[in-house]
Structures are given as C-alpha cells and as structure tokens.
Amino acid sequence: MSDTGPKFLGRQRTLVLIAIAVLVLGAAGIYSVQAFQRYQERTTGASAAALRATMPEGDRIVFRNTAMGEGYGSMAAVALDAPSGQRAVTEIPCDRVAERAGLVSCMKTRRGIPTTFENDVLDADGNLVETLPLPGIPSRTRISDGGLVATTSFVTGHSYAAGSFSTETTVTRADGSGYGNLEDFTMMVGGEELTAVDRNVWGVSFVSEDEFYVTVASGGNTWLMKGSFSTRTLASVLGNAECPSVSPDRTRVAYKKRTGSGAAVHWDIAVLDLQTGKETVIGLRDGFDDQLEWLDDGRLLFGVPRPGAVGDSDVYVIDARAEAEPELLIEHAWSPSVVRTAG
C-alpha cells in the first residue's frame, strides 16, 4: 500500500485535527490564566481608594467601591460634605447596596457551581441580621424609613434595554416576612386591570410604610405606578417612566425616560411634580441606566460605567432642572445611597 493512499491521508487529517485542538486548548488555557491574573490584579492589588476600618460618622453616601485593587466590589462610604475625600471601604462585597433606618441591604452574587444570589440584611455596624435568597441577578434595592427592604432581580436577561427580560421584585422585612412578589398585586392602567402574563415590576421607591412608586412593564410599554401595601394595588400615574425615586420632601418623583429601542435605546432624566403634574425632562448626551438617588431636594445622583474600564464606574450629580449638566461627584463608585442621620 502506498504512503499516499487513503489510510495515510486519513492519518494525516487526524494528526492535523489533533494539532489544531491542542493549539486551541492551549490558547484557551493561556487566556484563562491571563483572565485570572487580571482578576487577581483587580481585586487584590494596591487599591486606588485608601482602606479605613470605620465608616464615616454622620451624614454620608454609601456605595459599591469599583476602584481596582483591594476592596474592589465592597461596600464603601464617604462623608456627605466631602464626597471627593477619603473613603471608608469595608470587607463586605455587594453588587447593589442601600442603607436606611439603621439597616443595610447588600445584594450579592455567590459564584460557584451553581452560582446563587442573595440579599444580606445588615445592621449599621455591618453585622448580619438576615440572609434572604434572590431568584436572579441583583438589580435594584431600596429601604423604607420603617425598615421595609425592596429588591429587584433579573430572573432572565441582564438588561432593561434587552427586548426580552423578566424581573422579580419583592418587599420584605429583615426577618423575611412582608408583602412578597409585587407581580401578585392588582395592577390598573387607565382604570382597566392589567392582567397580561408578561408583566414585569422593578425599581421600588418608598413614600411611606404603605405607599410607594414602582415601574410596571407589559407589551413594550412602561408605566410609573403608585402602590399601596394595605390594598395590594398598583395604579398607573403616567407612561414611559422607569426606576422612580421619591424626593426627600415627597413632592417630586424622578425617573428614567426612554427614547429609542434595542441597541439604540437611550434614557434621559425626568422629574414629575406631584402637586402640579408637570414633567421636566433633563436631556443627557450619553444617557444613563441606573435608579436615581436624591442627594437633597434639588440634586440627583446616578452611576455611569467608566468607558474602556470593564467593571469600573463613577457616580455623577445633576440639578433636578431642565438643561442641567451632570458633574462627576465620586470616582470609582456605583449604587449610591444617601444616609441622613438626622432623619
């Protein structure tokens, strides 16, 4: 039999395929090692944010630290009157964080096989009060003055910009009791009950221990809705509004207002005066995708991913008025929560 016969050619093809497979696996291994090294450098190197053992006393802004190095992804804080000053970085990792009423809501991802998600409710000293399971990827969290904890998780999908996603929003107390999944509430749009199976609820903002605002979506539409725990109802206020945030004086609600769709989706800021019904839109050149937080009665905070720096972000501040421009407030930060110790 000639060495150029079918069997020889078959062996050659097999050897070539094996060689290609070895190269591919080798490249994948090198990539994995390099990716792990980058992760190690990001999370264990010298941090750009100085580490401190104690949180600042008095009024402060709590957030997720995104400065690369030691303390990356952990809960951190700066004094409210010195947001660009030294930050305290804890050893408590959080994907989203909120603090109020002496409680901290720390939504987190526990990576493993399988990956799981949970919300740790902590006291103001960082001691664990309760761990509540989450059904999916952490997205939004808020705490009421009386200690109700609201969380929104992505059950499927990773972004509100996606054409198809599913969320679960629950309101509980630290002991796990509460009002459950808000999708089970009766929803009214223009006086008609919304019963569609594709309903999604996200982004709670508390008015009191009974009233709150939230986003409801169905059929490609979104509504700002006002809810009541005592009656277990949600009623539409206006359309095209997402992730509401009630002002400290309870006179206004700020939210995201959407233009475009798909890859071209863009959100501006809008503020609704609850007494007059007037909506003020604040156009943003680059848009944003976060739940707004009121710094005070006249200014808003929101997070923006830092361009070209995966996993890093900054917190901006903007006046709640038309034609205002955002300004950088806290570098390397995400999920801001304003804590006012005076109430």
Side-chain angles (χ1 to χ4, degrees), residues 49-316:
L51 294 175
R52 289 171 52 192
T54 58
M55 300 289 273
E57 296 180 359
D59 295 349
R60 58 191 177 272
I61 304 174
V62 174
F63 55 91
R64 181 178 191 261
N65 175 52
T66 63
M68 302 304 173
E70 189 177 0
Y72 175 84
S74 295
M75 183 176 73
V78 292
L80 186 63
D81 60 0
S84 60
Q86 188 179 29
R87 68 183 64 186
V89 182
T90 72
E91 296 181 353
I92 303 169
C94 302
D95 294 345
R96 298 286 308 200
V97 62
E99 181 178 352
R100 197 175 188 88
L103 294 174
V104 173
S105 175
C106 173
M107 301 178 75
K108 61 178 59 179
T109 301
R110 290 202 177 276
R111 290 173 176 81
I113 304 175
T115 293
T116 58
F117 311 95
E118 66 186 31
N119 187 44
D120 285 349
V121 181
L122 315 168
D123 64 22
D125 295 322
N127 301 309
L128 182 64
V129 176
E130 185 71 35
T131 295
L132 306 173
L134 296 172
I137 299 166
S139 175
R140 307 282 188 254
T141 185
R142 287 290 187 269
I143 303 175
S144 74
D145 289 338
L148 293 173
V149 179
T151 59
T152 296
S153 304
F154 280 114
V155 181
T156 58
H158 293 69
S159 171
Y160 298 107
S164 177
F165 64 90
S166 179
T167 61
E168 181 174 309
T169 295
T170 61
V171 176
T172 61
R173 299 181 181 88
D175 62 5
S177 65
Y179 300 100
N181 190 339
L182 297 188
E183 286 186 22
D184 296 331
F185 282 30
T186 300
M187 303 179 190
M188 306 296 293
V189 177
E192 299 290 331
E193 185 174 357
L194 178 66
T195 59
V197 296
D198 68 340
R199 298 178 301 173
N200 278 299
V201 182
W202 70 87
V204 170
S205 184
F206 295 100
V207 178
S208 66
E209 300 313 291
D210 181 54
E211 296 183 333
F212 61 96
Y213 287 92
V214 72
T215 306
V216 173
S218 176
N221 300 306
T222 61
W223 298 273
L224 172 68
M225 290 202 180
K226 187 173 184 180
S228 168
F229 293 119
S230 60
T231 62
R232 296 183 65 84
T233 58
L234 300 171
S236 64
V237 178
L238 80 169
N240 190 13
E242 304 177 42
C243 295
S245 181
V246 180
S247 64
D249 62 8
R250 306 296 194 262
T251 65
R252 286 162 296 166
V253 178
Y255 45 88
K256 302 181 339 185
K257 193 171 185 68
R258 180 175 183 154
T259 61
S261 61
V265 68
H266 176 100
W267 285 285
D268 292 318
I269 295 172
V271 179
L272 178 67
D273 187 309
L274 295 173
Q275 296 176 334
T276 66
K278 179 182 177 181
E279 181 185 65
T280 300
V281 178
I282 309 169
L284 298 177
R285 183 189 63 187
D286 299 321
F288 79 115
D289 186 8
D290 193 16
Q291 185 168 11
L292 294 155
E293 169 77 342
W294 289 84
L295 178 61
D296 49 40
D297 285 326
R299 294 176 295 174
L300 295 156
L301 302 179
F302 59 95
V304 177
R306 181 170 282 211
V310 177
D312 199 359
S313 53
D314 300 305
V315 169
Y316 285 79

